[in-house]
Amino acid sequence: MTKKRMGVAREVAAAVVLIVVGQQAVAADLAQAASGSQAAAPVTEWPSPWQVRLRALGVITEDSGYVNAVPGSGLSYSNTLTPELDISYFFTDNIATELILGTTYANINGQGTIGGLGKVGNVWLLPPTLTLQYHFTNLGAFKPYIGAGVNYAIFYNQDAGSADALKVKNTFGTALQVGFDYMVDQHWGVNFDVKKLFLKPDFDVTVDGAKLTGKAVLDPWLIGAGVTYRF
């Protein structure tokens, strides 16, 4: 009887050992299969199509323009430093559009035969600009681009200086752009950008009671540097 019980105990112990070993083997096979599946199908995190930049922007204008009916007249404008916010949307890795937002001011000074007027007036300028860009993507972290587009210059808070009255008129213009991003990681980078705006607004001015018209040839260079964030 005792021998029979001992034989049953040995058979039960052997069955338990086989079950435990079998479960461990199955668990190992499942872990290996899961690992192989992950290696075969890696997960890729695609970047968002949205990107923003914040730049410090130097605005360098052309010193050109004239007052109609005043031979030898000329104009010059002050250069300024201002912040600029840009919002980009990427249609593909290479093609993007960028909305450029910033505002600045300009002092308008008489030159040539009207140099004695000194500061004719002061205006604030808001030139929202939309460009279509091509981005070069085969240079690693260095990502240069070129662009071209259109802007609409809005002149506001206009004050006359030596003139009795001054009104610079809103106008459309065109823009050319070249720059680059250097991406530090997937989201953050540094940016350098140069734009050329072609702006030639008409204006009305009144000096000593005489109402005159003219054209201000601004055509500013916009030279900026700042940070890039890709969502």
Side-chain angles (χ1 to χ4, degrees):
M1 186 69 176
T2 303
K3 291 181 178 180
K4 185 177 181 179
R5 289 178 179 175
M6 291 180 63
V8 171
R10 283 196 296 268
E11 291 175 0
V12 171
V16 170
V17 170
L18 288 173
I19 292 172
V20 171
V21 171
Q23 288 178 338
Q24 291 177 343
V26 170
D29 290 341
L30 290 174
Q32 184 176 2
S35 175
S37 175
Q38 290 176 355
V43 176
T44 301
E45 182 180 354
W46 294 102
S48 164
W50 292 100
Q51 177 177 280
V52 295
R53 297 187 184 95
L54 183 62
R55 302 186 184 105
L57 187 71
V59 181
I60 304 173
T61 58
E62 298 277 345
D63 288 332
S64 184
Y66 53 86
V67 177
N68 294 322
V70 182
S73 60
L75 298 171
S76 67
Y77 319 96
S78 58
N79 300 325
T80 57
L81 182 66
T82 188
E84 180 187 72
L85 173 66
D86 301 329
I87 304 170
S88 298
Y89 183 86
F90 283 78
F91 299 102
T92 69
D93 289 343
N94 301 104
I95 305 298
T97 186
E98 182 181 64
L99 177 63
I100 303 160
L101 301 171
T103 188
T104 188
Y105 69 91
N107 295 320
I108 304 173
N109 302 301
Q111 296 288 314
T113 56
I114 60 172
L117 294 176
K119 180 180 173 181
V120 177
N122 172 280
V123 299
W124 279 84
L125 168 63
L126 175 65
T129 303
L130 185 66
T131 62
L132 184 66
Q133 301 172 331
Y134 183 85
H135 291 252
F136 300 88
T137 57
N138 57 348
L139 298 173
F142 179 65
K143 301 183 181 300
Y145 57 86
I146 57 175
V150 63
N151 67 78
Y152 184 69
I154 302 169
F155 297 90
Y156 65 100
N157 284 358
Q158 303 190 42
D159 296 315
S162 57
D164 300 327
L166 175 66
K167 174 63 175 179
V168 182
K169 300 178 181 180
N170 300 342
T171 187
F172 282 99
T174 56
L176 297 176
Q177 179 183 33
V178 62
F180 68 85
D181 293 303
Y182 187 86
M183 302 305 294
V184 178
D185 58 29
Q186 184 179 4
H187 297 289
W188 290 98
V190 295
N191 174 261
F192 181 77
D193 183 271
V194 177
K195 290 181 286 291
K196 176 68 172 180
L197 303 188
F198 298 92
L199 288 177
K200 299 176 176 62
D202 295 321
F203 64 86
D204 298 328
V205 63
T206 302
V207 179
D208 293 333
K211 295 183 179 180
L212 303 168
T213 62
K215 186 176 289 292
V217 182
L218 299 173
D219 291 350
W221 288 94
L222 309 181
I223 302 174
V227 295
T228 296
Y229 184 80
R230 183 76 178 264
F231 290 94

